[in-house]
Amino acid sequence: MMRASLIIALTAAPALAEPVIPSFTDETATAGFSTVYEGEWEYMVGGGVATFDCSGDGFPEVFLSGGASPSALYLNRSTQGGALSFEKTEALTMDAVLGAYPLDIDSDGIMDLVVLRLGENRVMRGLGDCAFEDASAAWGFDGGDAWSTAFAAIWEKGQTWPTLAVGNYVDRKEEAFPWGSCTDNWLHRPEGERFAPPLPLTPSYCALSMLFTDWNRSGQPSLRVSNDREYYKGGQEQMWHLDPGAAPRLFTEKDDGWKRLRIWGMGIASADITLDGYPDYYLTSMADNKFQILTAPESGKPVYADLAFKSGITAHRPYTGGDTRPSTAWHAQFADANNDGLLDLFVAKGNVAKMPDFAENDPNNLLLQQEDGTFVEAGDRAGVASMAISRGGQVVDLNLDGALDIVVVNRWTPAQVWRGNANATGGWVQVRLQQPGANRDAIGAVVEVRRGEFVERHEVTSGGGHVSGSVGWLHFGLGDAATAELRVIWPDGREGDWQTLGAGTFQILQPDQAAQAWQPG
């Protein structure tokens, strides 16, 4: 049953009560962040942020890309429910960083980090206590010498080592730059417990976001790629078959029903907004953002309809600030910002530089979902409508008080951070998946949350957004409910039991075990 698309189609729906507006406090000046994403044309894209716990205390650290300036890892010194506080370290200081994604590659229980750069990418092995070493050579990872701007990871069936997809942008050394000079994306498949030489994903069209996703609930994820039409010739949005033991192959219109779509693809966000059991996709672009839903799942074909306009999330022009030119959208993320049990949408916005046909004052969006599946803008009222030139971001609970916070990397100005005020939101529960052996964080699992007659499905992914990744607590808003009813479908297909978890709690979920409560400190 598809909740949102059916209700949106009604022509005489009653007026809806406006969602609770969450409240955010700008703590940019006091949180301790000093990194600035610098650089000229080679850094017009990128500018990511990664969040993950490397200290072992459950609080997420923050890694900020710096572009032409050094990147930095910030240790989380916040207390539960307190002001945000971070300490800068030298642990991951390097140049030419565009973004990063945390991933426990060797499944030792210590988080590693894949760093995308202008030039050679690196995989940094976590050593514990937020120390890292470059393991690229030891793990057979070919970092290349490209302009890497997208990433996704998955554990393919039967493998103890992940498959990494890396998306690359234009060839900055090409004399005809930039028109039509998109370079090949790479697929780094495992060879035992290291990486084989990368496979080129040809054709490639200047990728800015990637995501492994089980779009048809077949148990076999595919690779979605969002591409920047500014520079490709004859390209389009893409999806790749990734059958075990077989070479990757493109979905095509002739064989698979894949429909041609050309956008300035900047970021991918995924969630089951329509509650039909299949992931929906928000694709950011310049002016015309897309919200795709699968039209006929029973057909087995990846045919999508765009519901962005009907849902109120085109976000194609600024909603405040007086600039009426089209917007430029980058990082997008679905998250329940007001803890009412409905997923909302955050979008980081910012002009490429000074493109005259696009808005200069381009505020970030915070779109709150209503009961009928439509969204209303609340970024200005919530206090997050920054006019900085934003790029990557994360919506994550940094101080573990149950209210989501927001951190955004901006071009040429310091990263910003807003603390969510817990007294302005509803109830919540947060869970962390852990499984023995390979893929300890259960990338590729699905968390199902039962809400009345509907079951909301959440894919656990590594990738998407705009060069910004996160591993850690999975946050679910509950509204007035005292408990949450959920279960995990693990990456190998095992279905866990439904469990009832209390509101306001942190729970560690493992296969074939009851939930284990956890408390900060």
Side-chain angles (χ1 to χ4, degrees):
M1 181 177 183
M2 188 181 297
R3 184 275 315 257
S5 60
L6 290 176
I7 298 179
I8 290 170
L10 297 177
T11 58
L16 297 171
E18 186 172 67
V20 173
I21 308 298
S23 170
F24 291 86
T25 299
D26 188 344
E27 296 191 346
T28 301
T30 57
F33 295 143
S34 59
T35 298
V36 177
Y37 185 72
E38 299 276 15
E40 295 306 315
W41 65 271
E42 290 178 308
Y43 298 99
M44 63 185 176
V45 298
V49 52
T51 58
F52 57 98
D53 174 22
C54 61
S55 62
D57 64 358
F59 288 78
E61 271 68 54
V62 173
F63 174 78
L64 298 177
S65 57
S69 295
S71 61
L73 175 68
Y74 291 83
L75 302 184
N76 194 337
R77 300 306 193 195
S78 310
T79 59
Q80 187 179 21
L84 301 180
S85 177
F86 290 85
E87 177 187 345
K88 187 176 182 179
T89 75
E90 301 299 322
L92 289 167
T93 300
M94 60 186 82
D95 63 358
V97 173
L98 299 172
Y101 289 81
L103 188 73
D104 188 357
I105 292 172
D106 56 356
S107 299
D108 64 352
I110 302 173
M111 197 61 64
D112 312 307
L113 192 68
V114 181
V115 181
L116 303 184
R117 301 174 68 241
L118 186 72
E120 186 180 15
N121 301 322
R122 297 177 183 171
V123 289
M124 304 300 294
R125 180 189 177 197
L127 304 175
D129 199 24
C130 294
F132 295 83
E133 67 177 7
D134 189 344
S136 303
W139 287 349
F141 178 78
D142 182 351
D145 188 29
W147 186 348
S148 296
T149 48
F151 177 83
I154 197 71
W155 269 258
E156 296 188 68
K157 293 186 184 303
Q159 298 293 339
T160 59
W161 206 254
T163 291
L164 311 182
V166 174
N168 297 315
Y169 206 48
V170 298
D171 184 356
R172 64 193 189 280
K173 302 172 185 176
E174 172 63 46
E175 291 183 4
F177 172 83
W179 316 114
S181 64
C182 298
T183 51
D184 282 339
N185 303 325
W186 300 320
L187 191 69
H188 299 260
R189 274 180 152 164
E191 190 173 68
E193 295 193 346
R194 57 186 285 118
F195 295 103
L199 296 171
L201 293 173
T202 306
S204 295
Y205 299 122
C206 292
L208 286 178
S209 194
M210 292 175 151
L211 187 68
F212 285 110
T213 176
D214 188 4
W215 63 273
N216 59 354
R217 295 182 59 177
S218 66
Q220 177 57 53
S222 302
L223 177 65
R224 282 203 67 142
V225 185
S226 198
N227 300 307
D228 183 3
R229 69 174 294 174
E230 185 74 13
Y231 300 122
Y232 61 60
K233 288 184 177 180
Q236 59 176 297
E237 296 294 283
Q238 296 172 299
M239 191 158 70
W240 292 84
H241 292 275
L242 198 69
D243 300 319
R249 57 187 176 88
L250 268 175
F251 281 79
T252 66
E253 186 164 5
K254 177 181 178 182
D255 296 333
D256 306 290
W258 180 256
K259 300 297 184 183
R260 179 182 175 90
L261 175 64
R262 304 183 72 196
I263 61 173
W264 289 271
M266 313 289 201
I268 304 173
S270 173
D272 180 18
I273 298 298
T274 56
L275 301 183
D276 64 351
Y278 294 87
D280 310 311
Y281 304 97
Y282 191 76
L283 310 176
T284 58
S285 181
M286 300 174 76
D288 190 16
N289 303 301
K290 304 294 185 181
F291 179 47
Q292 294 190 326
I293 65 163
L294 195 61
T295 57
E298 66 281 357
S299 72
K301 295 184 180 296
V303 179
Y304 289 87
D306 179 19
L307 278 189
F309 180 76
K310 288 184 176 180
S311 301
I313 50 176
T314 53
H316 59 289
R317 292 185 188 275
Y319 56 92
T320 189
D323 200 326
T324 60
R325 290 171 291 180
S327 285
T328 304
W330 300 88
H331 182 82
Q333 187 173 343
F334 287 106
D336 190 351
N338 55 6
N339 283 339
D340 65 353
L342 298 171
L343 289 173
D344 310 306
L345 177 63
F346 176 79
V347 184
K349 294 281 191 68
N351 199 300
V352 173
K354 293 186 179 296
M355 296 184 73
D357 294 334
F358 292 86
E360 182 177 355
N361 294 321
D362 201 0
N364 301 329
N365 299 99
L366 182 62
L367 294 144
L368 303 180
Q369 188 180 173
Q370 303 182 100
E371 289 289 342
D372 66 348
T374 62
F375 291 75
V376 295
E377 181 62 64
D380 49 351
R381 292 174 289 170
V384 298
S386 170
M387 296 295 180
I389 303 174
S390 299
R391 289 295 189 265
Q394 284 295 327
V395 184
V396 61
D397 186 0
L398 294 171
N399 62 353
L400 301 189
D401 63 352
L404 292 173
D405 313 301
I406 301 174
V407 58
V408 174
V409 169
N410 301 313
R411 194 176 183 196
W412 296 313
T413 57
Q416 292 174 285
V417 62
W418 294 269
R419 176 174 55 84
N421 296 309
N423 59 0
T425 63
W428 51 272
V429 67
Q430 300 195 53
V431 303
R432 181 77 188 265
L433 306 189
Q434 291 183 357
Q435 63 177 6
N439 187 13
R440 288 179 60 93
D441 296 297
I443 304 300
V446 172
V447 179
E448 292 189 331
V449 182
R450 189 145 55 195
R451 302 183 188 274
E453 62 180 305
F454 296 105
V455 173
E456 182 179 284
R457 289 172 56 91
H458 297 260
E459 284 191 310
V460 179
T461 60
S462 175
H466 186 69
V467 287
S468 300
S470 182
V471 172
W473 295 104
L474 305 174
H475 170 276
F476 303 101
L478 301 181
D480 295 331
T483 59
E485 191 177 9
L486 59 79
R487 71 169 180 172
V488 179
I489 302 175
W490 296 93
D492 62 5
R494 285 179 296 170
E495 297 182 356
D497 295 332
W498 287 96
Q499 301 191 56
T500 300
L501 308 178
T505 65
F506 295 86
Q507 305 282 343
I508 296 173
L509 305 182
Q510 298 173 297
D512 305 318
Q513 295 187 30
Q516 178 183 349
W518 178 91
Q519 290 185 346

